[in-house]
Amino acid sequence: MSKISKQRAINYIELEQRRRKELRLKYAIDHHLNTHGKKLTFDDRPYLIKIYKEWEPNIVVKKSVQCGASEWAICDCFAQAERGLSVIYVLPKYTLRNRFVKRIDKVIDRVPYYRENIGDTDSLWHKRYCGSDIIFASSETSSDFIEFPADVVIVDEIDKCNQVNIALAPDRLTASEYKYQRKISTPTIEDYGIDLEYKKSDTKEWHITCEACGERQPLDFFTNVIKEVSEKQFELID
């Protein structure tokens, strides 16, 4: 191979890697619609942009409610499938799983790009997207995912999941060269579930710049909103 041909090959690989890393964000901007049938916007959720661009093998999202994390997980699910990777998406219970998949089905119906890429296999448990398998499982039983090899495991609301069965989920990645894991949840108990997983991560936090003094800091309810004046007694700071 000539020096020029080798450089072209390297440039192509770099461009393809960049395209794949931007695929999740491209889904959010170009294709995805929320549950209300509206395009996603980051105007009031700028913190999501960094998460959409993140492409580490293991991602832990310790979140509040209604912050857009589920839409991110759906975009990640479809983007990984388009890359040719198989995905297991785990939710705490069957009832929640069923509601979640029906929600996704509505989005698929509304988005032409999704409809074009959905295969013949399309149920509450198993979908084929861009030729890749997506399994929607419940943590109530390990049988939903113990026989299915995967490249990506997404665990949504891990704090509410059956922790014994969830511990088996990473085994599904043994044969994969990717071994991507995503864990998402609103925290419930300290040093448990998502809080424990977050503490084992690089513990990145979203920082806000104060418009008055310019200080950059992560917002904390007990630091920025209220203060403890006596045992279990609080008052507003301002």
Side-chain angles (χ1 to χ4, degrees):
M1 181 183 291
S2 69
K3 185 176 181 180
I4 295 177
S5 298
K6 184 177 181 181
Q7 186 59 49
R8 285 177 178 172
I10 292 172
N11 291 342
Y12 174 80
I13 292 171
E14 289 178 347
L15 285 171
E16 179 61 15
Q17 288 176 337
R18 189 179 307 120
R19 185 193 74 83
R20 290 188 174 194
K21 287 185 176 180
E22 294 173 352
L23 192 56
R24 187 195 299 121
L25 183 61
K26 181 176 176 62
Y27 264 73
I29 295 173
D30 294 348
H31 306 305
H32 196 74
L33 300 176
N34 62 22
T35 53
H36 302 292
K38 297 180 179 180
K39 297 284 289 183
L40 298 184
T41 175
F42 301 112
D43 293 344
D44 59 342
R45 294 172 177 175
Y47 52 85
L48 283 174
I49 297 176
K50 178 65 176 177
I51 301 176
Y52 270 92
K53 290 183 175 180
E54 186 64 66
W55 211 261
E56 289 297 317
N58 298 321
I59 299 177
V60 176
V61 181
K62 181 181 176 182
K63 69 179 187 70
S64 63
V65 297
Q66 300 297 319
C67 67
S70 291
E71 302 297 344
W72 169 82
I74 294 171
C75 288
D76 185 50
C77 186
F78 284 128
Q80 300 291 3
E82 182 170 331
R83 293 179 63 204
L85 307 187
S86 56
V87 183
I88 296 177
Y89 197 117
V90 187
L91 291 125
K93 296 181 179 296
Y94 283 114
T95 52
L96 182 58
R97 188 279 306 269
N98 294 347
R99 289 201 305 270
F100 185 78
V101 176
K102 287 177 181 178
R103 166 186 171 182
I104 291 177
D105 287 341
K106 290 181 180 179
V107 175
I108 292 172
D109 289 339
R110 292 169 176 163
V111 179
Y113 188 79
Y114 289 170
R115 291 201 307 271
E116 292 169 4
N117 288 299
I118 281 289
D120 294 336
T121 303
D122 183 10
S123 67
L124 288 175
W125 178 70
H126 185 192
K127 296 185 185 296
R128 291 277 290 176
Y129 184 79
C130 291
S132 299
D133 292 302
I134 303 175
I135 297 296
F136 293 95
S138 164
S139 74
E140 288 181 290
T141 172
S142 61
S143 62
D144 265 14
F145 50 82
I146 60 173
E147 295 181 359
F148 183 82
D151 301 296
V152 186
V153 172
I154 303 172
V155 183
D156 200 346
E157 292 299 346
I158 190 173
D159 279 36
K160 297 178 182 178
C161 288
N162 182 309
Q163 301 301 306
V164 174
N165 290 333
I166 283 298
L168 302 174
D171 293 344
R172 302 299 89 213
L173 301 169
T174 304
S176 173
E177 63 178 287
Y178 298 95
K179 297 179 174 61
Y180 290 161
Q181 294 189 64
R182 285 81 171 91
K183 297 172 183 176
I184 312 160
S185 189
T186 303
T188 55
I189 303 171
E190 189 173 3
D191 294 325
Y192 171 85
I194 201 67
D195 184 64
L196 181 61
E197 295 294 334
Y198 174 75
K199 287 176 178 176
K200 292 189 292 186
S201 73
D202 56 11
T203 63
K204 291 178 180 177
E205 295 181 293
W206 176 252
H207 284 60
I208 302 293
T209 301
C210 177
E211 296 179 356
C213 68
E215 180 183 356
R216 295 185 71 252
Q217 61 181 316
L219 293 185
D220 185 286
F221 186 76
F222 294 97
T223 301
N224 304 101
V225 181
I226 64 174
K227 63 180 178 181
E228 189 171 11
V229 293
S230 61
E231 187 176 1
K232 296 183 180 181
Q233 294 295 317
F234 300 87
E235 65 179 27
L236 290 173
I237 292 175
D238 186 354

